[in-house]
Amino acid sequence: MPGIFEPLPGGGAAVALDDVEISIIRSLAVQLLELIGPGPAEDAPDDPLAELFAEGPSEAPTDPVLRRLFPDAYSDPERLPGSAREAEERAAHSAEFRRYTENDLRAGKRESALAVIRSLDALAPVGEGGAVLELAPQESRQWLGALNDLRLAIGARLDITDEDDTDLLYQLPDEDARKPMVMAYLWLGGLQETLVATLMS
C-alpha cells in the first residue's frame, strides 16, 4: 500500500503515508486554503442570510492559479475566434455565470481542502513514522477534488498547459529551482490516479 491508494472493504480508500508526505500534503492544502480565501459567511458572521444572497465576483481572477481553479465558463473570450460582438457576448455570459457560481465553487474547494487537513491531523502514527490514512467514500471524493485542485495550482505555477509540458518535466536537471515543485506535481498525480482507480473498482 505505500504511496498508492487501495480500496477498503465496503467502500472508501486507504494509503500509507510517511511523515514527510503527510507534511507536504498538509502544507499544500493550507496554502490552497489561503489562496482560495475565506467564504462570505466568514466575512460577515453576524448575518446568517449574507451567504444566501451573496453574489460572487464577475471578473476573472488575475492570479494564474485562481484563473486555473476558476476558469471562465465560456472559455477565455480573448482566445476564441469570432467577431468583436461575439467576444463581448461570451465575456458577458462568463461574467454572469461567475457571479452566481464562483462562491459555491470556492466553498466546495475550501471544504475539500479542509477535509484533507482534518483527516491528516486525525492520523495516529504507526511504526517508524507515518500512518495509514483510511477514507470513507465521501472523504475519498473530497480528497480526489483536493488533489485535483493542488495539481491544477502547481501546474499553473509551472506553466503547464498540456501533456507535452508534463513530458518536459521529467527532463529537468536536478539543480533546476522548479524541481521540488515538479516532484510534488508528479507525485500528487500518482496519488490522484490510484485514488480514481480505487473509487472506480
Side-chain angles (χ1 to χ4, degrees):
M1 182 190 306
I4 63 169
F5 278 97
E6 294 185 0
L8 287 173
V15 63
L17 299 170
D18 64 32
D19 289 338
V20 173
E21 292 168 333
I22 292 168
S23 176
I24 290 171
I25 296 173
R26 191 185 190 288
S27 174
L28 290 172
V30 168
Q31 291 176 54
L32 182 64
L33 275 177
E34 291 170 354
L35 188 63
I36 292 171
E42 296 171 60
D43 293 335
D46 296 331
D47 186 355
L49 296 178
E51 188 173 359
L52 181 63
F53 295 105
E55 288 186 8
S58 58
E59 297 293 322
T62 55
D63 185 299
V65 173
L66 290 175
R67 283 186 72 92
R68 186 76 58 91
L69 291 172
F70 306 104
D72 279 323
Y74 297 92
S75 295
D76 188 343
E78 297 173 6
R79 292 187 179 183
L80 290 174
S83 67
R85 181 178 177 192
E86 289 171 328
E88 281 181 29
E89 287 177 358
R90 284 195 299 268
H93 291 316
S94 288
E96 192 74 1
F97 187 83
R98 183 179 296 279
R99 181 179 295 118
Y100 294 109
T101 60
E102 187 165 313
N103 283 344
D104 287 341
L105 287 173
R106 282 181 184 263
K109 292 180 184 300
R110 192 179 300 112
E111 190 53 42
S112 292
L114 282 170
V116 167
I117 293 167
R118 289 182 190 124
S119 59
L120 292 176
D121 287 349
L123 284 176
V126 294
E128 298 179 8
V132 175
L133 174 70
E134 295 189 354
L135 302 172
Q138 173 61 22
E139 292 173 312
S140 298
R141 288 187 287 277
Q142 288 178 310
W143 262 75
L144 189 57
L147 288 172
N148 186 60
D149 290 341
L150 290 173
R151 291 193 76 237
L152 286 173
I154 295 172
R157 290 288 185 240
L158 292 170
D159 202 25
I160 296 171
T161 56
D162 58 40
E163 196 60 38
D164 291 339
D165 295 333
T166 305
D167 294 339
L168 294 175
L169 297 179
Y170 291 99
Q171 302 169 19
L172 285 179
D174 289 342
E175 59 272 14
D176 192 301
R178 297 169 295 171
K179 192 71 171 188
M181 202 182 306
V182 167
M183 297 305 292
Y185 178 82
L186 297 173
W187 172 61
L188 291 172
L191 278 178
Q192 183 182 11
E193 189 176 315
T194 62
L195 183 53
V196 168
T198 296
L199 293 177
M200 292 179 67
S201 63

